[in-house]
């Protein structure tokens, strides 16, 4: 194996391990909601903020990521992201409401930076295999969420760590990711952005394609973070025990990881990506309708379909960033814009979903909101699927 191929293989491994770390800090919360409520007495709205805060950080700091890359370069900013992620996770272990929410916000900043940078790194280093690399790291994102969802309750109850250390345990793998990434800082940290941030924002702000990509990102993230925060609680309220409810969320994430790998790899070969968008929306709409009924027929089947559509949506959102940009600068800029606007939209999801349940005392109304979101996702995805550049 040549030295160049070895370096690229190691880079793919580093990207995959980083991606594995960008979801557990958020996904681990959902299965523990019931335990956290019993221990703290927090309301559904405040519990929803444990998922909403990092999404707000994703929205705000995704927009500011180009400022960091102009100062530290892409690889240096990724290292900073992993430092913030590790520190934020550990902060939540401190027995204080302030530390809980502060740590949640800080880890959200780290996740925001990492999310924005991954598509640009893949675009720069693997321009001819972007769809495949996107599928790999987006699948690892889903895998990280699945592992966290499935292990949260066993860590808390099975190993008797409690919910704080169940959340804090994920700092170990984020620190490992930092160590693996450090060699990349000196190796590939010379390509700094050439265009001014103001000019870039003006150009993106007038691009219909950029807005379609951003809205698709936001709407798919809205649904994803609602499911992460509330799917276990929905199932628990319908009689499932917390362990199995966490495993159902883990199943959603695991099947989603399959969708995030195969859908971008297939869609990148097509002239346009409208057919994949249509398939995703039909699957998601059907599974949400099934979830609205307490004893929905073939429940596990529809959970699998929901996971596939959710994961595929995320993979397509990342793929759009690379397909609709022409170089590293435009990929980072479109990634920053789409994730900033997208996660700002998504940030309203968990708290709004919980508040609608508090208001109606039923899951039918908030699930109906997800149906509406799915229809809007079809419209934005149809525009983003057009064979064109920003």
């Amino acid at each position: 194996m040549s030295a160049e191929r070895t370096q690229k293989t190691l880079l793919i491994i580093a990207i995959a391990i980083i991606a594995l770390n960008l979801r557990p800090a958020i996904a681990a919360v959902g299965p523990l909601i019931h335990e956290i409520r019993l221990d703290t007495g927090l309301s559904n709205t405040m519990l929803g903020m444990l998922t909403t805060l990092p999404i707000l950080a994703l929205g705000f700091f995704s927009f500011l990521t180009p400022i960091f890359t102009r100062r530290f370069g892409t690889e240096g900013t990724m290292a900073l992201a992993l430092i913030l992620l590790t520190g934020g996770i550990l902060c939540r272990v401190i027995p204080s409401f302030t530390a809980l929410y502060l740590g949640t916000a800080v880890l959200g900043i780290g996740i925001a930076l990492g999310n924005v940078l991954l598509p640009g790194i893949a675009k720069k280093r693997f321009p001819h295999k972007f769809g495949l690399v996107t599928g790999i790291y987006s699948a690892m994102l889903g895998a990280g969420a699945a592992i966290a969802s499935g292990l949260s309750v066993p860590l808390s109850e099975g190993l008797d760590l409690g919910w704080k250390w169940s959340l804090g345990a994920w700092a170990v793998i984020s620190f490992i990711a930092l160590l693996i990434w450090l060699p990349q800082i000196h190796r590939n940290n010379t390509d700094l952005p050439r265009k001014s941030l103001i000019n870039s924002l003006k150009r993106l702000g007038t691009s219909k394609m950029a807005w379609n990509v951003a809205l698709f990102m936001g709407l798919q993230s809205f649904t994803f973070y609602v499911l992460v925060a509330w799917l276990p609680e929905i199932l628990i309220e319908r009689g499932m025990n917390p362990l199995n409810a966490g495993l159902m969320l883990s199943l959603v994430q695991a099947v989603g990881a399959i969708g995030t790998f195969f859908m971008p790899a297939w869609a990148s070969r097509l002239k346009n990506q409208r057919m994949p968008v249509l398939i995703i929306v039909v699957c998601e709409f059907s599974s949400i309708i099934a979830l609205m009924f307490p004893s929905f027929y073939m429940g596990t089947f529809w959970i699998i379909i929901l996971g596939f559509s959710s994961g595929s949506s995320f993979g397509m959102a990342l793929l759009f960033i690379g397909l609709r940009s022409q170089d590293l600068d435009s990929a980072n800029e479109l990634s920053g814009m789409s994730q900033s606007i997208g996660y700002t939209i998504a940030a309203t999801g968990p708290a709004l979903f919980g508040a609608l349940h508090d208001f109606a005392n039923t899951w039918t109304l908030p699930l109906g909101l997800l149906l509406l979101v799915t229809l809007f996702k079809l419209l934005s995805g149809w525009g983003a699927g057009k064979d064109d550049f920003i």
Side-chain angles (χ1 to χ4, degrees):
M1 183 181 290
S2 67
E4 181 180 359
R5 178 169 292 186
T6 299
Q7 286 186 5
K8 288 197 172 183
T9 299
L10 292 174
L11 178 59
I12 289 177
I13 293 172
I15 289 172
I17 294 175
I18 288 173
L20 185 70
N21 280 274
L22 295 182
R23 288 296 177 271
I26 300 175
V29 173
L32 297 171
I33 284 285
H34 185 69
E35 185 177 345
I36 297 172
R37 179 192 291 111
L38 292 178
D39 186 42
T40 64
L42 292 171
S43 68
N44 281 341
T45 302
M46 288 302 297
L47 289 169
M49 288 299 294
L50 290 175
T51 303
T52 298
L53 266 179
I55 305 173
L56 287 172
L58 286 168
F60 185 69
F61 281 90
S62 294
F63 177 77
L64 297 178
T65 300
I67 295 176
F68 291 90
T69 57
R70 281 168 168 78
R71 176 65 180 85
F72 303 110
T74 300
E75 284 75 16
T77 304
M78 181 62 81
L80 174 63
L82 293 170
I83 292 171
L84 292 172
L85 175 58
T86 304
I89 292 173
L90 289 175
C91 185
R92 296 202 293 192
V93 177
I94 300 172
S96 161
F97 284 153
T98 300
L100 174 63
Y101 285 98
L102 177 62
T104 300
V106 170
L107 67 86
I109 296 172
I111 294 172
L113 298 178
N115 275 348
V116 171
L117 296 176
L118 280 178
I121 292 172
K123 180 78 173 181
K124 178 179 74 169
R125 299 301 303 279
F126 305 96
H128 303 298
K129 295 183 178 180
F130 177 77
L132 177 61
V133 176
T134 298
I136 291 172
Y137 78 71
S138 58
M140 293 302 287
L141 285 164
I147 293 169
S149 300
L151 290 183
S152 290
V153 174
L155 285 174
S156 176
E157 298 180 1
L159 295 182
D160 201 27
L161 295 180
W163 65 266
K164 286 187 176 69
W165 277 108
S166 179
L167 294 178
W170 303 104
V172 175
I173 58 171
S174 64
F175 183 69
I176 292 173
L178 173 62
L179 296 179
I180 293 174
W181 183 254
L182 287 178
Q184 298 294 331
I185 295 178
H186 300 295
R187 184 174 298 156
N188 297 297
N189 205 31
T190 57
D191 294 333
L192 298 179
R194 297 182 296 273
K195 294 173 285 189
S196 74
L197 181 59
I198 298 300
N199 289 337
S200 298
L201 293 176
K202 287 181 179 179
R203 181 171 63 91
L204 289 173
T206 58
S207 170
K208 184 177 179 181
M209 176 63 73
W211 279 100
N212 278 323
V213 173
L215 290 173
F216 186 85
M217 173 66 79
L219 295 171
Q220 70 83 23
S221 297
F222 184 102
T223 300
F224 172 80
Y225 286 109
V226 163
L227 292 176
V228 166
W230 292 111
L231 181 60
E233 187 67 11
I234 293 173
L235 298 177
I236 289 171
E237 188 173 301
R238 292 176 176 176
M240 188 175 290
N241 66 60
L243 177 60
N244 286 338
L247 290 175
M248 283 295 102
L249 179 57
S250 184
L251 178 62
V252 168
Q253 310 286 14
V255 175
I258 297 173
T260 58
F261 177 77
F262 285 103
M263 190 62 76
W266 170 59
S268 63
R269 301 177 183 177
L270 305 178
K271 181 175 177 58
N272 67 65
Q273 288 69 45
R274 287 175 168 173
M275 180 56 68
V277 168
L278 182 60
I279 292 172
I280 289 168
V281 167
V282 169
C283 289
E284 185 172 301
F285 195 89
S286 301
S287 57
I288 292 173
I289 288 179
L291 192 60
M292 294 177 76
F293 298 92
S295 56
F296 57 108
Y297 180 62
M298 296 174 65
T300 302
F301 169 79
W302 288 114
I303 287 291
I304 291 172
I305 296 300
L306 182 61
F308 173 80
S309 59
S310 176
S312 297
S313 294
F314 181 64
M316 288 301 300
L318 294 177
L319 182 69
F320 285 146
I321 293 171
L323 291 181
R324 305 304 169 232
S325 55
Q326 294 177 292
D327 52 35
L328 174 63
D329 284 4
S330 58
N332 279 340
E333 292 157 1
L334 179 57
S335 184
M337 173 189 173
S338 62
Q339 298 199 53
S340 178
I341 293 173
Y343 286 119
T344 300
I345 294 172
T348 64
L352 177 59
F353 196 85
L356 285 175
H357 177 264
D358 288 344
F359 171 77
N361 200 31
T362 176
W363 294 113
T364 303
L365 180 61
L367 286 171
L369 174 64
L370 292 189
L371 291 178
L372 184 62
V373 168
T374 302
L375 294 177
F376 281 111
K377 187 165 73 174
L378 174 61
L379 295 177
S380 60
W382 200 258
K386 181 181 179 182
D387 182 21
D388 200 0
F389 294 105
I390 57 173

